[in-house]
Amino acid sequence: MKTAPLAIAVRTAGTNCDGETVLALEAAGAKVQLVHLHRLIEEQGLLGGASLVVFPGGFSYGDDVAAGRIQGFEVRQHLEDPMREFVARGGFVLGVCNGFQVLVDTGLLEDPAGPGRGYALTNNVSGHFECRWVHLLNEPSRATWLPAGRVWPVPIAHGEGRLAVQGPQVLERLAAERRIVFRYVRPDGSRSDDLETCPNGSVDQIAGLCDLTGRVVGLMPHPERNVTPWHHPRWTRLASTRTEGEGLDFYRRMVAAASQSATVRSARVSTNT
Amino acid sequence: MWISEAQERMVLAVPPDRLARLLEICAAEDVDATVIGEFTNTGRLVLEHRGVRVGDLEMHFLHEGTPRPLRRAVWKPVEHPDPGAPPCADASATLLQLLARPNVASKEWILRQYDHEVQGRSVLKALVGVRDDGPGDAAVLQPLEHSRRGLAIGCGANPDQGQLDPWAMASASIDEALRNVVAVGGDPERTAILDNFSWGNCAKPENLGALVEASRACYATAKAFGTPFISGKDSLNNEYRVGEQTIVIPPTLFVTAVAPLPDVGRAVSMDFKEAENRIYLVGLTHGELGASQYLLQRGEFGGRAPRPDLALAPRRLAALHGALRQGLARSCHDLSEGGLAVALAEMAFAGGLGAEVELARVPTAPLQGGYDGDSVRLFSESCTRFLVEVRPEHAAEFERRLADHDCAPIGRVTAVPRLRILGPGARPRVDLDLESLRRAHQGGFQG
């Protein structure tokens, strides 16, 4: 695809990772429109021209009730049908950190005909916010546009990032459906449930999930905060030949996959009331 | 409505032709915005509520009407016996104790509860090194994505010294903030500073006297370094009473320095990088242990509090900055609470590398009687001092740049993961493995 695909980054009161998200998407080759959630609700036709919709991190609505809950509710109330239609015709959706919390709450990661969610993102086991760098193992999943087996260094910055499940059958279903995209691992890719490796205490060290299409992906860590050569916490110790942060390739792959996938419709306004 | 201090409200003065646009933006962001009045040329502040005039004041009264109290300030130097620099029987054990003291120990547990990556702008984070647990000197940000220029932000404070000598405390706190930004590559010639005073009840003449002393030090020190105070904040009257006891905050000046870096790619962190690199000590060590961590740990206090040499310090910062800008330093760390021993320990465990250092090589000013040379070199908190790790091939150029300053190679970085500080006769005064140092530093201050 020759022309840059359009990515819509959705912001609302309390979104604070829109800046780095826009930069990462642009560096990855997308044309980006930063849109207030309420404009998107008013002008749902905007989705028609987009290949990718991103919910960046932050503290939407002050994390009131629970992180991502109110924004998730707004999306579910006003945008669920157009978003499902957007995904059905090949669109990609990404939620990072607070955006992942929003995605989980909207139900967009789930098949409406499926057995229900059965999982939630809740308080870290430490009981507090935590900002640190972790390593993510890219699991073989339905998000085939990602390189299974790769270990990504990325930072986390969240207080409610622990994935909790209703029971073991939920984990089994997520695994059987190949929807576990990322796990927190040691730097060498090996599994461990210690809190240095998996600071929020997520079940099975799960850090990111996708839907059944592999085009809707959510994760707690921030690949957009590892884009320049100087984002990495140990860049002063790494080779000076490093020209970019490892997280840029995440966005590059997503933008490339979205540009090949989405059958972009001409913008058709279908105003919702 | 008029005097409520409810937060998260702002008043804007808006030209009439921009008002519609402003209200449109506010509406789009779901922000309440209301026109509450207009500026007039009547020289009066008039408040109306539902058509009733509820307030009417002259502007002159509002601006000039505040009665100015006259306060008395008294200052006499704190009289404490000078304990000198007592010899240290077991410097390894002492170093571990100092690393665990609250004003030295790791603040990691609280730092990680704040998002220090917002907007993906951090170049050097608060914690650096192989395990992201080394106490960095200053944060470096890259404010504009299209420019490699950076901004270093560092701080200085020492509440212990404030109780001994407020002048020295204020001057040393400015020096510390400047050291911290220079250590990461900030340009001292273009540094601005901010003051934040935390003080006891200033209606008491002795508290106000201490504040006057600190303010005089701010003036003299900022003038000497050529660093303007661009803003600040004060929090006075920090006292409260529990029964018969009044608890007073120690006189404390918290200084923040902001310095530009020409190129974020040249930012320097404090963790040792490679074995066999040389370790230089820049700056002169004096017998300045007043209110030092070493004396406090021993239950002592008095003596001379560190003061920067206002004639030499600015030139030393400029020379060191030149060397860092040229890419001659692999790591750099300032010496502050706990002195040389603590700074070396931090660089070592942060880098996962050992060090071997000879105390005899430390540039030291002549000492009075009662000052043990090794104790001074290990634990004195003299100002404007740095440890710099330099590759052997850059040593000659580094020495040339620092030729007019106190600067000496005191040792080398080692692959053996131990900190060894050798005293007279190559006798190890400190000999500790990195894990012990790390544990001591991590364990001292937990939430």
Side-chain angles (χ1 to χ4, degrees):
Chain A
M1 193 162 176
K2 289 281 191 316
T3 53
L6 177 67
I8 291 178
V10 183
R11 69 174 182 90
T12 189
T15 306
N16 70 3
C17 304
D18 43 326
E20 64 266 45
T21 302
V22 169
L23 288 176
L25 287 164
E26 286 175 347
K31 182 168 168 270
V32 189
Q33 221 178 326
L34 181 61
V35 181
H36 194 287
L37 174 62
H38 296 174
R39 295 300 83 64
L40 190 60
I41 290 171
E42 288 163 9
E43 299 171 42
Q44 296 172 7
L46 287 171
L47 290 172
S51 303
L52 178 56
V53 173
V54 182
F55 294 96
F59 298 82
S60 55
Y61 305 110
D63 282 349
D64 285 355
V65 188
R69 187 66 57 82
I70 294 173
Q71 194 187 351
F73 174 80
E74 286 190 313
V75 172
R76 196 168 68 241
Q77 282 291 305
H78 302 290
L79 289 173
E80 177 161 5
D81 291 345
M83 287 296 291
R84 287 203 183 273
E85 191 193 320
F86 171 75
V87 175
R89 64 180 170 79
F92 276 62
V93 180
L94 172 67
V96 176
C97 197
N98 193 226
F100 183 26
Q101 293 159 338
V102 168
L103 269 189
V104 167
D105 208 74
T106 59
L108 284 171
L109 283 158
E110 296 306 305
D111 181 351
R117 203 167 80 202
Y119 59 85
L121 290 164
T122 184
N123 294 348
N124 298 351
V125 279
S126 62
H128 57 70
F129 181 95
E130 187 137 356
C131 176
R132 66 162 66 241
W133 280 62
V134 296
H135 289 86
L136 291 186
L137 175 66
N138 211 141
E139 298 285 3
S141 73
R142 286 181 188 260
T144 51
W145 49 275
L146 281 165
R150 185 181 291 184
V151 176
W152 307 79
V154 280
I156 56 159
H158 61 248
E160 299 177 39
R162 172 168 60 98
L163 189 78
V165 292
Q166 275 178 340
Q169 74 285 358
V170 177
L171 266 187
E172 283 160 24
R173 178 168 63 86
L174 290 171
E177 291 174 348
R178 292 189 299 121
R179 291 177 49 205
I180 299 166
V181 186
F182 295 112
R183 278 200 169 87
Y184 302 102
V185 290
R186 296 197 186 97
D188 65 3
S190 61
R191 294 276 296 271
S192 166
D193 62 359
D194 69 62
L195 287 179
E196 196 172 335
T197 303
C198 176
N200 56 29
S202 264
V203 63
D204 243 25
Q205 301 95 54
I206 293 171
L209 296 172
C210 66
D211 73 339
L212 286 171
T213 71
R215 294 194 297 274
V216 183
V217 171
L219 74 165
M220 288 312 298
H222 292 271
E224 70 283 357
R225 291 181 175 184
N226 185 10
V227 167
T228 77
W230 311 290
H231 276 145
H232 194 289
R234 293 171 292 284
W235 69 267
T236 57
R237 312 182 66 84
L238 301 174
S240 55
T241 48
R242 222 168 133 267
T243 55
E244 63 180 48
E246 291 75 6
L248 179 54
D249 196 46
F250 172 90
Y251 282 93
R252 204 181 274 132
R253 283 166 179 274
M254 186 165 214
V255 169
S259 72
Q260 282 156 20
S261 159
T263 50
V264 178
R265 299 179 308 178
S266 57
R268 207 170 46 218
V269 181
S270 57
T271 312
N272 199 16
T273 48
Chain B
M1 266 181 266
W2 186 243
I3 61 168
S4 163
E5 296 184 8
Q7 300 291 298
E8 295 176 10
R9 302 178 304 162
M10 272 155 255
V11 177
L12 303 178
V14 183
D17 63 327
R18 311 278 173 85
L19 181 61
R21 177 68 188 132
L22 180 84
L23 293 176
E24 196 179 285
I25 292 171
C26 289
E29 301 286 337
D30 300 319
V31 170
D32 291 325
T34 314
V35 179
I36 59 166
E38 59 183 8
F39 291 105
T40 64
N41 57 7
T42 60
R44 302 192 73 82
L45 171 72
V46 177
L47 304 176
E48 290 180 347
H49 185 54
R50 291 181 179 148
V52 180
R53 182 162 295 200
V54 293
D56 188 349
L57 293 168
E58 265 184 63
M59 293 310 292
H60 175 77
F61 172 75
L62 279 177
H63 286 296
E64 325 293 339
T66 316
R68 299 272 164 185
L70 194 61
R71 293 260 166 87
R72 223 163 65 83
V74 175
W75 176 249
K76 43 180 206 296
V78 181
E79 303 239 343
H80 275 282
D82 180 0
C88 183
D90 183 345
S92 288
T94 301
L95 172 56
L96 294 178
Q97 289 168 338
L98 298 193
L99 283 168
R101 290 182 62 81
N103 282 342
V104 177
S106 176
K107 313 299 183 292
E108 180 169 3
W109 70 274
I110 188 94
L111 280 171
R112 296 220 175 278
Q113 295 184 47
Y114 291 86
D115 187 352
H116 44 268
E117 307 266 355
V118 173
Q119 297 182 15
R121 289 280 179 262
S122 72
V123 168
L124 285 186
K125 307 171 206 306
L127 298 164
V128 296
V130 279
R131 283 172 60 173
D132 299 344
D133 64 359
D137 292 84
V140 175
L141 306 178
Q142 185 189 7
L144 304 171
E145 67 275 7
H146 57 266
S147 166
R148 287 176 67 117
R149 290 169 66 199
L151 211 51
I153 301 153
C155 303
N158 193 318
D160 297 312
Q161 290 168 359
Q163 295 173 82
L164 180 63
D165 183 343
W167 200 104
M169 177 277 291
S171 188
S173 296
I174 294 171
D175 188 81
E176 184 181 22
L178 298 178
R179 293 195 307 265
N180 281 327
V181 291
V182 169
V184 298
D187 182 352
E189 308 270 324
R190 299 176 57 212
T191 299
I193 55 178
L194 298 86
D195 60 73
N196 188 334
F197 288 89
S198 295
W199 232 257
N201 181 357
C202 288
K204 295 180 185 168
E206 62 276 23
N207 284 349
L208 192 59
L211 185 61
V212 170
E213 281 288 294
S215 303
R216 285 180 172 151
C218 286
Y219 177 78
T221 311
K223 289 281 279 185
F225 281 110
T227 50
F229 277 103
I230 56 168
S231 187
K233 177 96 174 73
D234 63 74
S235 178
L236 308 181
N237 307 322
N238 281 282
E239 295 193 11
Y240 76 46
R241 188 179 279 273
V242 189
E244 288 301 293
Q245 197 192 358
T246 302
I247 296 175
V248 185
I249 199 168
T252 306
L253 173 66
F254 184 88
V255 179
T256 305
V258 184
L261 278 83
D263 178 1
V264 293
R266 282 274 160 94
V268 178
S269 62
M270 52 71 74
D271 44 312
F272 281 143
K273 301 297 187 307
E274 294 126 14
E276 298 314 319
N277 284 347
R278 294 196 191 171
I279 301 168
Y280 284 86
L281 179 57
V282 175
L284 189 61
T285 302
H286 298 265
E288 291 178 313
L289 287 114
S292 66
Q293 298 299 311
Y294 178 62
L295 286 191
L296 291 168
Q297 181 64 33
R298 299 171 63 98
E300 295 175 291
F301 182 67
R304 183 185 146 91
R307 294 180 178 216
D309 182 328
L310 295 182
L312 294 180
R315 297 198 302 116
R316 194 181 295 155
L317 294 184
L320 180 63
H321 174 65
L324 264 58
R325 194 169 179 148
Q326 208 184 322
L328 299 177
R330 286 298 284 147
S331 65
C332 183
H333 193 26
D334 86 309
L335 276 62
S336 58
E337 286 91 340
L340 173 66
V342 163
L344 278 168
E346 290 171 343
M347 293 174 90
F349 74 70
L353 291 164
E356 192 165 287
V357 163
E358 289 175 52
L359 286 180
R361 292 171 174 268
V362 171
T364 312
L367 299 174
Q368 305 168 26
Y371 281 76
D372 176 75
D374 279 2
S375 294
V376 168
R377 285 181 266 271
L378 283 165
F379 303 121
S380 169
E381 298 179 10
S382 291
C383 292
T384 336
R385 295 183 304 155
F386 300 85
L387 285 165
V388 189
E389 175 192 359
V390 179
R391 283 181 170 146
E393 65 267 30
H394 291 147
E397 176 63 8
F398 182 79
E399 288 182 17
R400 193 188 64 75
R401 282 196 162 266
L402 273 297
D404 296 336
H405 302 271
D406 291 296
C407 172
I410 60 165
R412 64 192 174 90
V413 181
T414 63
V416 179
R418 293 189 78 79
L419 173 62
R420 285 166 55 83
I421 306 179
L422 309 179
R427 187 167 66 94
R429 297 300 318 268
V430 170
D431 188 3
L432 289 164
D433 65 279
L434 301 187
E435 262 322 293
S436 306
L437 297 169
R438 184 194 308 276
R439 266 201 312 276
H441 189 250
Q442 279 288 337
F445 188 48
Q446 292 291 326

